[in-house]
Amino acid sequence: MTMRQKLWITVGLMWLGMLILVGWMALEKRETLMAERVNSLKSFVGSAQTLVERYAERAANGEFSTEAAQNFARRNLSALDLDGSYIYAFDSNIHLVYHPKREIGSDMSDFRDDNGVYFYRELKALADSPDDGTLEYTSTNADGEDVSRLNYVRYVPEWDWYLAANVYISDIQQTFWAGVLKMSLIAGVIGAIITLIMGWVIRNVLGDLGGDPRQARDAVKDIAQGDLTTPLNVRSGDDRSLLAAIEGMRAHLAASMTDIRHASTTITVGVGQIHNGNQDLAARTEQQAASIGETASSMEELTQTVRQNADNARQASGLAGEARTTATEGGEMMDQVVSTMQGITDSSRQVTEIVGVIDSIAFQTNILALNASVEAARAGEQGRRAGPASRAGVSRSSLTKCARWPAAAPTPPARFAS
């Protein structure tokens, strides 16, 4: 059931409760009226019994004869009245001893009411029983309407009289239904007011909710489970109800999730590009590192080669120094004997030429070292393959040639030799 149905069922239950309350109160009132009527009937018959017993006692005391006392009693019984009800009496043979509307002495043993009940027999049995009860009697009035009367009987053993009276209970029924009608009208007015108030409350509550609460519950459950694709059925122009608020929340969440999804996609693409760039950079870095390693190896080999050339150059410089020292000594010797050895001028010139040759050798050695450095830088890998030994051999061969070069110098003059 929807919320609207439940609320209106609550209103219906309220009406049902009010009707039950009205019925219960009417029944209570009917029972109260019936109890009051029965009590008044019993008091009425009890008064007649007291009256008859008093006359029976006075007759027993000799004030009156029994017949006179009974006549006095009948006369006084006829004066008793209870809202139109009267007292009547019959004996144990169910013959009337007093009845304001029937002849005294009438046999009523075979009298039946409209329901076929032997009325006087039932009255006699009721009086003889220990129960102090009443008997309902149904008859038809002069207008042809069925009326119900309640009968009560008391027994006077002194004269063997059964005193009885009846009261109408149809008026009790009329009073009952009149009360039911009155309370129904009151309950109807109150119920109508409450119904109008409840209708206004239901309308406002459902208006604030925007629909059945189960829709809100299902929508919140779907949103909690991550389903933002199912829209709610919200009335057009409704922007204040609970369902409208939930629908707005769902729409905003769906838009936010869409933006987040797009942003995540963009970030994923960017991360992929960065990853690819990192991989490319790593590959290039590895290649550069390999190249740097190769260059470092080449530089190390070149450094070894230059170091060897420098050693060779130092050796050549040492030889040249020794040669220069020898030439200096020869110059000194020439200075000592200049005056006497004019003949050996040419030999001195040759010595000078030898020194120039030695200087040339040193210069060429330096040029050779520079050329070797340039060749090592250009060769790279070839220099590593050739190895330091070969280049050292080349250097040594060059130095050997340079060392042997003075042997090719011209032979000094004969006079110098002698």
Side-chain angles (χ1 to χ4, degrees), residues 331-344:
E332 291 177 353
M333 291 176 66
M334 288 299 292
D335 288 337
Q336 293 177 0
V337 294
V338 67
S339 60
T340 59
M341 296 184 68
Q342 291 293 330
I344 59 173

Side-chain angles (χ1 to χ4, degrees), residues 99-230:
H99 198 288
K101 297 181 180 181
R102 295 181 183 275
E103 184 178 357
I104 296 176
S106 299
D107 186 5
M108 304 299 294
S109 59
D110 295 330
F111 178 81
R112 299 182 183 182
D113 62 3
D114 294 343
N115 295 326
V117 177
Y118 289 97
F119 175 67
Y120 283 91
R121 294 181 185 180
E122 293 294 332
L123 279 178
K124 182 178 180 297
L126 181 63
D128 294 337
S129 67
D131 297 332
D132 189 23
T134 58
L135 178 65
E136 187 174 350
Y137 167 63
T138 303
S139 64
T140 304
N141 60 11
D143 296 332
E145 297 177 354
D146 292 336
V147 293
S148 295
R149 289 178 290 183
L150 198 63
N151 293 264
Y152 183 69
V153 60
R154 299 289 292 270
Y155 179 60
V156 181
E158 290 82 1
W159 287 352
D160 191 23
W161 280 15
Y162 291 90
L163 299 175
N166 58 68
V167 291
Y168 288 96
I169 58 176
S170 299
D171 58 345
I172 294 178
Q173 296 286 64
Q174 294 175 358
T175 304
F176 165 73
W177 288 114
V180 169
L181 180 61
K182 181 180 179 180
M183 287 186 288
S184 297
L185 290 175
I186 295 173
V189 172
I190 296 174
I193 295 173
I194 295 176
T195 301
L196 291 176
I197 295 174
M198 287 296 296
W200 178 77
V201 171
I202 290 171
R203 180 180 178 183
N204 286 340
V205 169
L206 294 179
D208 292 337
L209 292 176
D212 193 77
R214 290 181 297 181
Q215 297 179 2
R217 179 197 63 193
D218 296 338
V220 172
K221 186 183 296 183
D222 293 338
I223 292 173
Q225 293 176 354
D227 184 9
L228 301 176
T229 60
T230 305

Side-chain angles (χ1 to χ4, degrees), residues 357-369:
V357 170
I358 292 171
D359 291 333
S360 297
I361 292 171
F363 178 74
Q364 290 177 358
T365 302
N366 290 331
I367 291 174
L368 181 61

Side-chain angles (χ1 to χ4, degrees), residues 290-312:
S291 299
I292 291 172
E294 293 176 356
T295 303
S297 300
S298 300
M299 291 299 295
E300 184 178 358
E301 294 176 356
L302 177 61
T303 301
Q304 292 177 358
T305 302
V306 171
R307 187 180 294 113
Q308 291 176 358
N309 290 334
D311 293 338
N312 294 332

Side-chain angles (χ1 to χ4, degrees), residues 6-49:
K6 292 179 180 178
L7 292 175
W8 282 114
I9 285 176
T10 303
V11 175
L13 291 176
M14 178 202 69
W15 275 101
L16 179 61
M18 291 182 65
L19 291 176
I20 293 174
L21 179 62
V22 167
W24 177 75
M25 292 177 63
L27 289 175
E28 286 286 331
K29 185 175 181 179
R30 181 178 181 276
E31 291 178 358
T32 301
L33 292 175
M34 186 66 72
E36 291 177 354
R37 189 62 57 86
V38 170
N39 291 332
S40 61
L41 178 61
K42 290 182 177 181
S43 298
F44 181 55
V45 176
S47 299
Q49 181 184 9

